[in-house]
Amino acid sequence: MRRILTSLAFMSVLAGPALADDSQIVKSVKLADLQRILVEDGYTINSTGDDGAVSIRATDEENTGLIFNVIGTACEVEGVDGCLGINMQVRYDADGEETLERINDVNLMWAATSCWYSEGGTDGLSPTVGFTRYVILDGGMTIRNIKDNLLNLLAIAPQGADYIWQTGAYAPDGDDW
């Protein structure tokens, strides 16, 4: 009986998430790695593969309700097993009220992310305003740092969107706008 319990315990350790240690350094990621990172921090995975083989659409239901994308980049290059970069994005449908001036202001005010406008959007039909945080894993990065980069994006995007569309804290009060 003792041997069976020891074997079961050993097998559960092997079957457990490989990225459970936030201090672990990774030099590339696969789809399963990104899924584990998101699930560990409580995000809801909505779909995979919408933006390429190593891509996830997820929701931060506990905090902001934002839908975001995590996309592996530079995948399977130079003999590397996995992706050497991670593109994290929050996308908003543009409504014509945004200006390139305000989008550029967002890039100056919140330099940790890049804000962009696409006339054709990601579907080629609908204008989109997006916020991106791009992470390069060359040389290695801790799992915690990947998670923190996503946290920063999810905190900045709503503030930047409020600034672009002059809502929330940036709503015109009649004096400044």
PDB file of all heavy atoms in Angstrom, residues 125-148:
ATOM      1  N   LEU A 125     -12.322  44.701 -41.554  1.00  0.00           N
ATOM      2  CA  LEU A 125     -13.561  45.430 -41.829  1.00  0.00           C
ATOM      3  C   LEU A 125     -13.880  46.527 -40.817  1.00  0.00           C
ATOM      4  O   LEU A 125     -14.443  47.551 -41.169  1.00  0.00           O
ATOM      5  CB  LEU A 125     -14.743  44.446 -41.854  1.00  0.00           C
ATOM      6  CG  LEU A 125     -14.625  43.264 -42.812  1.00  0.00           C
ATOM      7  CD1 LEU A 125     -15.742  42.267 -42.564  1.00  0.00           C
ATOM      8  CD2 LEU A 125     -14.642  43.755 -44.252  1.00  0.00           C
ATOM      9  N   SER A 126     -13.555  46.297 -39.552  1.00  0.00           N
ATOM     10  CA  SER A 126     -13.973  47.199 -38.479  1.00  0.00           C
ATOM     11  C   SER A 126     -12.779  47.919 -37.881  1.00  0.00           C
ATOM     12  O   SER A 126     -11.814  47.279 -37.469  1.00  0.00           O
ATOM     13  CB  SER A 126     -14.661  46.399 -37.363  1.00  0.00           C
ATOM     14  OG  SER A 126     -15.674  45.585 -37.889  1.00  0.00           O
ATOM     15  N   PRO A 127     -12.842  49.259 -37.792  1.00  0.00           N
ATOM     16  CA  PRO A 127     -11.742  49.993 -37.163  1.00  0.00           C
ATOM     17  C   PRO A 127     -11.524  49.545 -35.718  1.00  0.00           C
ATOM     18  O   PRO A 127     -12.480  49.247 -35.010  1.00  0.00           O
ATOM     19  CB  PRO A 127     -12.190  51.450 -37.214  1.00  0.00           C
ATOM     20  CG  PRO A 127     -13.335  51.495 -38.158  1.00  0.00           C
ATOM     21  CD  PRO A 127     -13.920  50.119 -38.224  1.00  0.00           C
ATOM     22  N   THR A 128     -10.272  49.497 -35.315  1.00  0.00           N
ATOM     23  CA  THR A 128      -9.907  48.991 -33.990  1.00  0.00           C
ATOM     24  C   THR A 128      -8.874  49.904 -33.349  1.00  0.00           C
ATOM     25  O   THR A 128      -7.965  50.382 -34.022  1.00  0.00           O
ATOM     26  CB  THR A 128      -9.315  47.569 -34.114  1.00  0.00           C
ATOM     27  OG1 THR A 128     -10.279  46.724 -34.728  1.00  0.00           O
ATOM     28  CG2 THR A 128      -8.937  47.005 -32.766  1.00  0.00           C
ATOM     29  N   VAL A 129      -9.012  50.106 -32.043  1.00  0.00           N
ATOM     30  CA  VAL A 129      -7.968  50.717 -31.227  1.00  0.00           C
ATOM     31  C   VAL A 129      -7.448  49.607 -30.334  1.00  0.00           C
ATOM     32  O   VAL A 129      -8.220  48.886 -29.706  1.00  0.00           O
ATOM     33  CB  VAL A 129      -8.503  51.892 -30.381  1.00  0.00           C
ATOM     34  CG1 VAL A 129      -7.449  52.366 -29.387  1.00  0.00           C
ATOM     35  CG2 VAL A 129      -8.952  53.036 -31.268  1.00  0.00           C
ATOM     36  N   GLY A 130      -6.134  49.458 -30.296  1.00  0.00           N
ATOM     37  CA  GLY A 130      -5.558  48.385 -29.506  1.00  0.00           C
ATOM     38  C   GLY A 130      -4.466  48.865 -28.575  1.00  0.00           C
ATOM     39  O   GLY A 130      -3.859  49.915 -28.785  1.00  0.00           O
ATOM     40  N   PHE A 131      -4.245  48.073 -27.541  1.00  0.00           N
ATOM     41  CA  PHE A 131      -3.165  48.285 -26.587  1.00  0.00           C
ATOM     42  C   PHE A 131      -2.351  47.004 -26.564  1.00  0.00           C
ATOM     43  O   PHE A 131      -2.916  45.916 -26.438  1.00  0.00           O
ATOM     44  CB  PHE A 131      -3.718  48.583 -25.188  1.00  0.00           C
ATOM     45  CG  PHE A 131      -4.460  49.874 -25.115  1.00  0.00           C
ATOM     46  CD1 PHE A 131      -5.797  49.957 -25.509  1.00  0.00           C
ATOM     47  CD2 PHE A 131      -3.829  51.012 -24.676  1.00  0.00           C
ATOM     48  CE1 PHE A 131      -6.480  51.145 -25.456  1.00  0.00           C
ATOM     49  CE2 PHE A 131      -4.510  52.223 -24.620  1.00  0.00           C
ATOM     50  CZ  PHE A 131      -5.835  52.294 -25.009  1.00  0.00           C
ATOM     51  N   THR A 132      -1.047  47.128 -26.685  1.00  0.00           N
ATOM     52  CA  THR A 132      -0.185  45.966 -26.785  1.00  0.00           C
ATOM     53  C   THR A 132       0.973  46.068 -25.804  1.00  0.00           C
ATOM     54  O   THR A 132       1.539  47.141 -25.596  1.00  0.00           O
ATOM     55  CB  THR A 132       0.389  45.847 -28.221  1.00  0.00           C
ATOM     56  OG1 THR A 132      -0.694  45.703 -29.136  1.00  0.00           O
ATOM     57  CG2 THR A 132       1.320  44.671 -28.347  1.00  0.00           C
ATOM     58  N   ARG A 133       1.312  44.931 -25.237  1.00  0.00           N
ATOM     59  CA  ARG A 133       2.538  44.776 -24.449  1.00  0.00           C
ATOM     60  C   ARG A 133       3.261  43.598 -25.076  1.00  0.00           C
ATOM     61  O   ARG A 133       2.729  42.493 -25.139  1.00  0.00           O
ATOM     62  CB  ARG A 133       2.208  44.498 -22.985  1.00  0.00           C
ATOM     63  CG  ARG A 133       3.414  44.280 -22.109  1.00  0.00           C
ATOM     64  CD  ARG A 133       4.115  45.573 -21.785  1.00  0.00           C
ATOM     65  NE  ARG A 133       5.259  45.282 -20.924  1.00  0.00           N
ATOM     66  CZ  ARG A 133       6.390  45.949 -20.997  1.00  0.00           C
ATOM     67  NH1 ARG A 133       6.529  46.933 -21.840  1.00  0.00           N
ATOM     68  NH2 ARG A 133       7.379  45.636 -20.205  1.00  0.00           N
ATOM     69  N   TYR A 134       4.461  43.836 -25.581  1.00  0.00           N
ATOM     70  CA  TYR A 134       5.217  42.779 -26.246  1.00  0.00           C
ATOM     71  C   TYR A 134       6.378  42.359 -25.357  1.00  0.00           C
ATOM     72  O   TYR A 134       7.134  43.192 -24.876  1.00  0.00           O
ATOM     73  CB  TYR A 134       5.748  43.258 -27.604  1.00  0.00           C
ATOM     74  CG  TYR A 134       6.401  42.149 -28.390  1.00  0.00           C
ATOM     75  CD1 TYR A 134       5.640  41.100 -28.893  1.00  0.00           C
ATOM     76  CD2 TYR A 134       7.772  42.126 -28.602  1.00  0.00           C
ATOM     77  CE1 TYR A 134       6.228  40.060 -29.601  1.00  0.00           C
ATOM     78  CE2 TYR A 134       8.368  41.099 -29.310  1.00  0.00           C
ATOM     79  CZ  TYR A 134       7.593  40.072 -29.813  1.00  0.00           C
ATOM     80  OH  TYR A 134       8.164  39.043 -30.498  1.00  0.00           O
ATOM     81  N   VAL A 135       6.494  41.056 -25.124  1.00  0.00           N
ATOM     82  CA  VAL A 135       7.512  40.508 -24.241  1.00  0.00           C
ATOM     83  C   VAL A 135       8.447  39.621 -25.055  1.00  0.00           C
ATOM     84  O   VAL A 135       7.992  38.743 -25.781  1.00  0.00           O
ATOM     85  CB  VAL A 135       6.860  39.685 -23.103  1.00  0.00           C
ATOM     86  CG1 VAL A 135       7.889  39.022 -22.236  1.00  0.00           C
ATOM     87  CG2 VAL A 135       5.943  40.565 -22.273  1.00  0.00           C
ATOM     88  N   ILE A 136       9.741  39.858 -24.927  1.00  0.00           N
ATOM     89  CA  ILE A 136      10.760  39.048 -25.599  1.00  0.00           C
ATOM     90  C   ILE A 136      11.384  38.120 -24.573  1.00  0.00           C
ATOM     91  O   ILE A 136      11.880  38.562 -23.543  1.00  0.00           O
ATOM     92  CB  ILE A 136      11.836  39.949 -26.239  1.00  0.00           C
ATOM     93  CG1 ILE A 136      11.202  40.850 -27.294  1.00  0.00           C
ATOM     94  CG2 ILE A 136      12.957  39.106 -26.839  1.00  0.00           C
ATOM     95  CD1 ILE A 136      12.130  41.925 -27.830  1.00  0.00           C
ATOM     96  N   LEU A 137      11.349  36.822 -24.869  1.00  0.00           N
ATOM     97  CA  LEU A 137      11.839  35.832 -23.911  1.00  0.00           C
ATOM     98  C   LEU A 137      13.298  35.442 -24.135  1.00  0.00           C
ATOM     99  O   LEU A 137      13.846  34.678 -23.338  1.00  0.00           O
ATOM    100  CB  LEU A 137      10.967  34.569 -23.970  1.00  0.00           C
ATOM    101  CG  LEU A 137       9.488  34.788 -23.669  1.00  0.00           C
ATOM    102  CD1 LEU A 137       8.719  33.490 -23.875  1.00  0.00           C
ATOM    103  CD2 LEU A 137       9.292  35.327 -22.268  1.00  0.00           C
ATOM    104  N   ASP A 138      13.925  35.936 -25.183  1.00  0.00           N
ATOM    105  CA  ASP A 138      15.326  35.605 -25.446  1.00  0.00           C
ATOM    106  C   ASP A 138      16.155  35.838 -24.186  1.00  0.00           C
ATOM    107  O   ASP A 138      16.066  36.892 -23.566  1.00  0.00           O
ATOM    108  CB  ASP A 138      15.893  36.476 -26.569  1.00  0.00           C
ATOM    109  CG  ASP A 138      15.214  36.233 -27.897  1.00  0.00           C
ATOM    110  OD1 ASP A 138      14.205  35.517 -27.940  1.00  0.00           O
ATOM    111  OD2 ASP A 138      15.693  36.779 -28.901  1.00  0.00           O
ATOM    112  N   GLY A 139      16.926  34.877 -23.796  1.00  0.00           N
ATOM    113  CA  GLY A 139      17.754  35.000 -22.601  1.00  0.00           C
ATOM    114  C   GLY A 139      17.022  34.604 -21.337  1.00  0.00           C
ATOM    115  O   GLY A 139      17.636  34.403 -20.302  1.00  0.00           O
ATOM    116  N   GLY A 140      15.697  34.536 -21.396  1.00  0.00           N
ATOM    117  CA  GLY A 140      14.924  34.063 -20.258  1.00  0.00           C
ATOM    118  C   GLY A 140      14.190  35.142 -19.504  1.00  0.00           C
ATOM    119  O   GLY A 140      14.627  36.288 -19.440  1.00  0.00           O
ATOM    120  N   MET A 141      13.045  34.769 -18.948  1.00  0.00           N
ATOM    121  CA  MET A 141      12.211  35.649 -18.138  1.00  0.00           C
ATOM    122  C   MET A 141      11.465  34.765 -17.144  1.00  0.00           C
ATOM    123  O   MET A 141      11.098  33.638 -17.463  1.00  0.00           O
ATOM    124  CB  MET A 141      11.219  36.391 -19.036  1.00  0.00           C
ATOM    125  CG  MET A 141      10.259  37.280 -18.296  1.00  0.00           C
ATOM    126  SD  MET A 141       9.119  38.156 -19.406  1.00  0.00           S
ATOM    127  CE  MET A 141      10.230  39.374 -20.086  1.00  0.00           C
ATOM    128  N   THR A 142      11.211  35.296 -15.962  1.00  0.00           N
ATOM    129  CA  THR A 142      10.464  34.500 -14.987  1.00  0.00           C
ATOM    130  C   THR A 142       8.974  34.486 -15.358  1.00  0.00           C
ATOM    131  O   THR A 142       8.467  35.409 -16.005  1.00  0.00           O
ATOM    132  CB  THR A 142      10.603  35.050 -13.554  1.00  0.00           C
ATOM    133  OG1 THR A 142       9.996  36.348 -13.496  1.00  0.00           O
ATOM    134  CG2 THR A 142      12.061  35.101 -13.105  1.00  0.00           C
ATOM    135  N   ILE A 143       8.299  33.453 -14.917  1.00  0.00           N
ATOM    136  CA  ILE A 143       6.852  33.353 -15.097  1.00  0.00           C
ATOM    137  C   ILE A 143       6.179  34.554 -14.430  1.00  0.00           C
ATOM    138  O   ILE A 143       5.256  35.140 -14.973  1.00  0.00           O
ATOM    139  CB  ILE A 143       6.315  32.032 -14.505  1.00  0.00           C
ATOM    140  CG1 ILE A 143       6.919  30.837 -15.233  1.00  0.00           C
ATOM    141  CG2 ILE A 143       4.801  31.993 -14.531  1.00  0.00           C
ATOM    142  CD1 ILE A 143       6.603  30.745 -16.699  1.00  0.00           C
ATOM    143  N   ARG A 144       6.661  34.938 -13.244  1.00  0.00           N
ATOM    144  CA  ARG A 144       6.085  36.095 -12.537  1.00  0.00           C
ATOM    145  C   ARG A 144       6.176  37.351 -13.387  1.00  0.00           C
ATOM    146  O   ARG A 144       5.240  38.155 -13.432  1.00  0.00           O
ATOM    147  CB  ARG A 144       6.820  36.310 -11.203  1.00  0.00           C
ATOM    148  CG  ARG A 144       6.313  37.501 -10.404  1.00  0.00           C
ATOM    149  CD  ARG A 144       4.978  37.233  -9.730  1.00  0.00           C
ATOM    150  NE  ARG A 144       3.888  37.808 -10.492  1.00  0.00           N
ATOM    151  CZ  ARG A 144       2.635  37.352 -10.465  1.00  0.00           C
ATOM    152  NH1 ARG A 144       2.296  36.323  -9.748  1.00  0.00           N
ATOM    153  NH2 ARG A 144       1.703  37.922 -11.172  1.00  0.00           N
ATOM    154  N   ASN A 145       7.288  37.546 -14.095  1.00  0.00           N
ATOM    155  CA  ASN A 145       7.440  38.732 -14.921  1.00  0.00           C
ATOM    156  C   ASN A 145       6.461  38.712 -16.097  1.00  0.00           C
ATOM    157  O   ASN A 145       5.911  39.750 -16.464  1.00  0.00           O
ATOM    158  CB  ASN A 145       8.881  38.870 -15.407  1.00  0.00           C
ATOM    159  CG  ASN A 145       9.145  40.233 -15.983  1.00  0.00           C
ATOM    160  OD1 ASN A 145       9.089  40.416 -17.188  1.00  0.00           O
ATOM    161  ND2 ASN A 145       9.412  41.193 -15.112  1.00  0.00           N
ATOM    162  N   ILE A 146       6.224  37.550 -16.677  1.00  0.00           N
ATOM    163  CA  ILE A 146       5.224  37.439 -17.748  1.00  0.00           C
ATOM    164  C   ILE A 146       3.853  37.832 -17.194  1.00  0.00           C
ATOM    165  O   ILE A 146       3.117  38.613 -17.800  1.00  0.00           O
ATOM    166  CB  ILE A 146       5.200  36.012 -18.332  1.00  0.00           C
ATOM    167  CG1 ILE A 146       6.519  35.720 -19.070  1.00  0.00           C
ATOM    168  CG2 ILE A 146       4.000  35.828 -19.267  1.00  0.00           C
ATOM    169  CD1 ILE A 146       6.702  34.262 -19.470  1.00  0.00           C
ATOM    170  N   LYS A 147       3.513  37.301 -16.024  1.00  0.00           N
ATOM    171  CA  LYS A 147       2.229  37.616 -15.401  1.00  0.00           C
ATOM    172  C   LYS A 147       2.119  39.103 -15.080  1.00  0.00           C
ATOM    173  O   LYS A 147       1.055  39.713 -15.265  1.00  0.00           O
ATOM    174  CB  LYS A 147       2.037  36.782 -14.131  1.00  0.00           C
ATOM    175  CG  LYS A 147       1.840  35.305 -14.405  1.00  0.00           C
ATOM    176  CD  LYS A 147       1.730  34.522 -13.105  1.00  0.00           C
ATOM    177  CE  LYS A 147       1.474  33.050 -13.334  1.00  0.00           C
ATOM    178  NZ  LYS A 147       1.311  32.308 -12.064  1.00  0.00           N
ATOM    179  N   ASP A 148       3.204  39.702 -14.591  1.00  0.00           N
ATOM    180  CA  ASP A 148       3.194  41.123 -14.265  1.00  0.00           C
ATOM    181  C   ASP A 148       3.027  41.989 -15.511  1.00  0.00           C
ATOM    182  O   ASP A 148       2.360  43.029 -15.471  1.00  0.00           O
ATOM    183  CB  ASP A 148       4.475  41.522 -13.524  1.00  0.00           C
ATOM    184  CG  ASP A 148       4.496  41.010 -12.091  1.00  0.00           C
ATOM    185  OD1 ASP A 148       3.431  40.592 -11.576  1.00  0.00           O
ATOM    186  OD2 ASP A 148       5.587  41.014 -11.484  1.00  0.00           O
TER     187      ASP A 148
END
